[in-house]
Amino acid sequence: MSIDTETARRVAHLARIAVPEEDLPALAGEFNAILGFIEQLSEVDVDGVEPMVSVTPMRLKRREDVVTDGNQPQAVLANAPDAREGFFAVPKVVE
Amino acid sequence: MLDLTYEAPKPKVISGATGDWELVIGMEVHAQVSSKAKLFSGASTQFGAEPNSNVAFVDAGMPGMLPVINEGCVALAVKTGLGLKAEINLRSAFDRKNYFYPDLPQGYQISQLYHPIVGEGEVLVEMGEGVARKVRIERIHLEQDAGKSIHDMDPNMSFVDLNRTGVALMEIVSRPDIRGPEEAAAYIAKLRQILRYLGTCDGNMQNGNLRADVNVSVCRPGQYEKYQETQDFSHLGTRCEIKNMNSMRFIQQAIDHEAKRQIAILEDGGSIDQETRLYDPDKGETRSMRSKEEAHDYRYFPDPDLLPLEIEQGWVDDIEASLPELPDAKKARFMGDFGLSDYDASVLTAEVEAADFFEKAAEGRDGKLAANWIINELYGRLKKDEKELGESPVSPAQIGQIIDLIKSDAISGKIAKDVFEICYTSGREPEEIVETEGMKQVTDTGAIEAAVDEVIAANPGQVEKAKANPKLVGWFVGQVMKATGGKANPKAVNELVSAKLGL
């Protein structure tokens, strides 16, 4: 698989990262280098090998179904560029 | 369990200009898990709180915050799976579904694409007496809900409330086994009933706690059978997904409109684009939701913040042991043990509360009579007052008393209705009402005989006519009942009148 400028533009857009037009070819080149490395990893035969999800044998930590958090609307909204009447206010988005 | 055999309902057929078309429908139902706290944070799930007050920093997508799974949500999902006779996967895992929207502060939804917690199950959807569709469940996965955007509070801005962000949802995915709009609504209704019995989702569609994405396609007769034989989707038409429906009526309308839209395109020689559509109930049409360049590309990958979810068989067994009796089993038992009709058993098992009410009233009594009193008298009276069963001023024990009074011949069925009305309006005990108001039926044959004699003596003309037309016995019984203020035992009166008239 090879990443062209068009694909790089699309990936950047999906990630909502503004990449100047002139930087796209270089970005595509970096993607291709990364994919090349992954292709190299794909050469290893891992048939029958369980994917490793953790370096130490750990069980997923759980919580009881109890309310322990919340009631801090000011803190939640503190970094919002705009907030009104307890809501985040954002430019109009309607599908 | 239910060992009755069912006939499959006929698929809905729409006649087009070039021949008949059949509908094929699959559903993805999002059911909000009835937990106290969210799936990965300790914030409350309470509906209707002040905006952004049920929000932990995890839900707000603040940097450095890590999700910790709520074991209660896992238990409720497992319980739901068991209730749908589904396989439980002892190992499941969470993935990130990436997209940008203001009400999704993380920039991704945590879901279970590759390894869901629940596998294949089934739901029996009854479409009438002896007719039912077995709808296969493909999977149930746990995922986070998004927040809520409000677009009508300001002309230029959308307002975002994150209270719902991160609340646990079960996405219940069916196979394309549903064959018409009515079946789709019945499927949702049955699923809702089971979830409410299990107590794993409150089923409140108005609040959006149960909502559905509906996949609709059309095909020529015969194609669907080929699909069922081979499970090869190429026999079916291209589907469109109608998103986010929370009304049974709109679901039916949307399916109908969408099927007709697809048929019109196909008959014009066109082809269906697989896409997501929205139903507009005001215009009665579905319309495309996302433009091509914004096509789904969720770039799923395993969530690195969460280890796989491993549960133990013993824990699942404990949950299974705690399952309540479910609607199908309860209905079968009501029909078998109490001799109820299919219809009465369906009505009384629609909600757990109704079934419990009935069982308390019917215990050790004539079940059919109890069913009649609850369905006809009590439900009728409650409906008149626009009340729910939970607000009934008459208790199951009081219905039981009325039945006992009828069965012991203390009152007639007719008087019983008066007793019921007094009980309903005053809350007094039926036994006490009958005693205090002197409503006890006259079973003393002597007294009834005297009344019968009086009526016969006063109506010699009618006596003559009755000899030619025995049906007139009813008239005499009526007169005697009137003379005794309705308190005579109608059976005794009937027997005496017939004997005295020599019929």
Side-chain angles (χ1 to χ4, degrees):
Chain A
M1 185 179 167
S2 173
I3 303 279
D4 56 14
T5 308
E6 184 50 45
T7 310
R9 183 185 293 120
R10 179 176 157 71
V11 171
H13 173 69
L14 282 170
R16 298 298 188 276
I17 295 172
V19 179
E21 191 64 29
E22 63 270 24
D23 292 349
L24 285 173
L27 182 64
E30 284 178 33
F31 281 150
N32 281 320
I34 294 166
L35 287 177
F37 174 58
I38 290 170
E39 261 166 46
Q40 206 180 336
L41 287 177
S42 296
E43 287 167 18
V44 182
D45 181 7
V46 290
D47 270 3
V49 180
E50 279 285 305
M52 186 180 76
V53 291
S54 171
V55 286
T56 52
M58 275 174 68
R59 184 175 182 264
L60 176 66
K61 192 175 159 49
R62 290 140 216 243
R63 242 174 349 100
E64 275 182 52
D65 183 22
V66 178
V67 176
T68 55
D69 210 337
N71 285 318
Q72 45 173 356
Q74 295 83 1
V76 166
L77 293 167
N79 294 326
D82 193 358
R84 299 179 200 179
E85 295 168 61
F87 294 95
F88 289 91
V90 302
K92 197 125 190 146
V93 274
V94 189
E95 286 196 17
Chain B
M1 290 307 290
L2 211 58
D3 53 355
L4 301 167
T5 48
Y6 287 91
E7 194 183 312
K10 298 252 180 308
K12 162 112 178 174
V13 175
I14 297 179
S15 313
T18 60
D20 285 349
W21 295 89
E22 286 182 5
L23 274 63
V24 180
I25 300 158
M27 295 233 238
E28 293 163 18
V29 173
H30 293 87
Q32 184 180 315
V33 176
S34 60
S35 60
K36 295 184 193 74
K38 295 182 177 181
L39 182 54
F40 294 112
S41 87
S44 169
T45 59
Q46 190 73 45
F47 183 82
E50 287 296 306
N52 292 304
S53 58
N54 290 345
V55 183
F57 290 142
V58 184
D59 311 315
M62 294 294 177
M65 303 311 295
L66 287 172
V68 180
I69 199 164
N70 179 343
E71 195 162 36
C73 295
V74 178
L76 291 170
V78 167
K79 195 170 189 180
T80 302
L82 293 169
L84 301 180
K85 297 177 205 147
E87 312 161 27
I88 304 301
N89 295 322
L90 297 181
R91 184 186 164 96
S92 62
F94 291 94
D95 306 294
R96 291 185 181 179
K97 176 179 180 177
N98 300 279
Y99 67 95
F100 283 95
Y101 205 73
D103 58 24
L104 188 80
Q106 286 173 150
Y108 56 84
Q109 176 194 33
I110 304 179
S111 183
Q112 297 190 300
L113 177 69
Y114 302 109
H115 303 286
I117 184 156
V118 177
E120 293 185 338
E122 64 182 44
V123 177
L124 190 71
V125 182
E126 285 169 75
M127 298 302 298
E129 210 172 322
V131 181
R133 178 81 66 198
K134 194 176 269 186
V135 176
R136 293 169 300 161
I137 301 296
E138 183 184 324
R139 57 187 281 159
I140 304 175
H141 59 258
L142 272 171
E143 63 182 26
Q144 296 176 300
D145 205 345
K148 205 169 184 177
S149 301
I150 301 160
H151 305 295
D152 56 6
M153 281 177 70
D154 187 283
N156 305 311
M157 309 293 274
S158 289
F159 285 13
V160 181
D161 175 9
L162 301 182
N163 280 349
R164 211 179 56 188
T165 306
V167 169
L169 297 179
M170 296 177 279
E171 180 168 328
I172 305 168
V173 183
S174 87
R175 300 271 184 202
D177 291 352
I178 300 161
R179 305 301 314 281
E182 296 78 18
E183 277 184 42
Y187 167 74
I188 294 270
K190 183 61 180 282
L191 206 52
R192 181 176 180 275
Q193 184 192 26
I194 295 172
L195 293 171
R196 284 174 57 81
Y197 264 63
L198 291 166
T200 57
C201 168
D202 70 12
N204 186 330
M205 297 184 80
Q206 227 157 17
N207 291 356
N209 296 355
L210 190 72
R211 48 194 201 265
D213 298 342
V214 186
N215 286 289
V216 181
S217 68
V218 297
C219 66
R220 292 294 191 183
Q223 291 300 111
Y224 184 77
E225 287 70 21
K226 285 184 194 161
Y227 155 70
Q228 279 294 11
E229 264 166 43
T230 57
Q231 296 297 307
D232 177 356
F233 288 106
S234 70
H235 293 295
L236 301 179
T238 303
R239 67 175 195 269
C240 287
E241 181 181 20
I242 315 167
K243 274 268 183 214
N244 228 2
M245 316 262 294
N246 66 346
S247 137
M248 308 231 196
R249 191 161 58 93
F250 290 161
I251 287 172
Q252 295 190 55
Q253 290 172 1
I255 292 171
D256 213 49
H257 286 296
E258 177 57 19
K260 284 175 182 153
R261 184 190 72 89
Q262 293 183 14
I263 291 168
I265 292 173
L266 292 168
E267 294 199 326
D268 275 354
S271 61
I272 306 298
D273 291 329
Q274 186 172 335
E275 60 178 359
T276 305
R277 302 181 68 84
L278 270 185
Y279 178 61
D280 182 338
D282 296 327
K283 290 185 183 147
E285 61 178 29
T286 64
R287 61 167 182 270
S288 189
M289 199 169 144
R290 292 189 176 95
S291 52
K292 279 249 166 63
E293 57 270 28
E294 289 293 304
H296 302 199
D297 189 345
Y298 292 131
R299 295 147 295 143
Y300 278 98
F301 64 88
D303 192 315
D305 287 342
L306 291 158
L307 286 165
L309 174 57
E310 288 173 307
I311 53 178
E312 289 75 41
Q313 186 60 48
W315 189 69
V316 175
D317 292 343
D318 288 346
I319 294 173
E320 186 153 32
S322 78
L323 285 188
E325 183 180 37
L326 291 170
D328 290 344
K330 205 181 273 292
K331 185 182 163 188
R333 184 165 61 81
F334 280 10
M335 289 170 74
D337 291 3
F338 292 105
L340 299 194
S341 68
D342 190 284
Y343 175 80
D344 285 357
S346 294
V347 172
L348 291 172
T349 54
E351 299 280 347
V352 186
E353 294 73 27
D356 289 348
F357 192 102
F358 165 74
E359 285 208 75
K360 279 189 204 135
E363 201 187 344
R365 302 191 173 96
D366 180 338
K368 275 186 187 167
L369 198 55
N372 280 340
W373 272 89
I374 292 168
I375 295 172
N376 299 326
E377 302 307 322
L378 182 59
Y379 277 18
R381 192 65 180 81
L382 288 170
K383 199 174 173 190
K384 211 167 119 192
D385 283 357
E386 292 175 6
K387 280 188 175 160
E388 299 290 324
L389 183 61
E391 308 164 276
S392 169
V394 179
S395 71
Q398 288 172 331
I399 294 281
Q401 278 182 35
I402 292 177
I403 291 164
D404 289 344
L405 287 163
I406 297 170
K407 278 289 177 181
S408 66
D409 279 338
I411 56 172
S412 66
K414 193 165 167 293
I415 293 285
K417 291 187 186 181
D418 298 336
V419 174
F420 171 80
E421 183 59 29
I422 297 171
C423 174
Y424 185 94
T425 46
S426 71
R428 287 161 60 194
E429 296 298 321
E431 283 164 5
E432 178 270 324
I433 295 167
V434 170
E435 208 58 53
T436 314
E437 307 296 327
M439 296 168 98
K440 236 191 184 129
Q441 189 161 246
V442 180
T443 41
D444 168 7
T445 343
I448 297 174
E449 209 172 338
V452 172
D453 286 342
E454 236 169 80
V455 172
I456 289 178
N459 298 283
Q462 289 293 96
V463 173
E464 279 313 305
K465 282 188 202 161
K467 286 193 170 142
N469 178 10
K471 277 187 190 155
L472 274 176
V473 167
W475 182 84
F476 281 95
V477 173
Q479 292 300 309
V480 174
M481 293 304 288
K482 210 155 132 193
T484 56
K487 286 186 287 182
N489 180 338
K491 211 164 69 194
V493 174
N494 212 323
E495 280 164 13
L496 275 168
V497 169
S498 298
K500 295 230 176 226
L501 292 175
L503 296 170

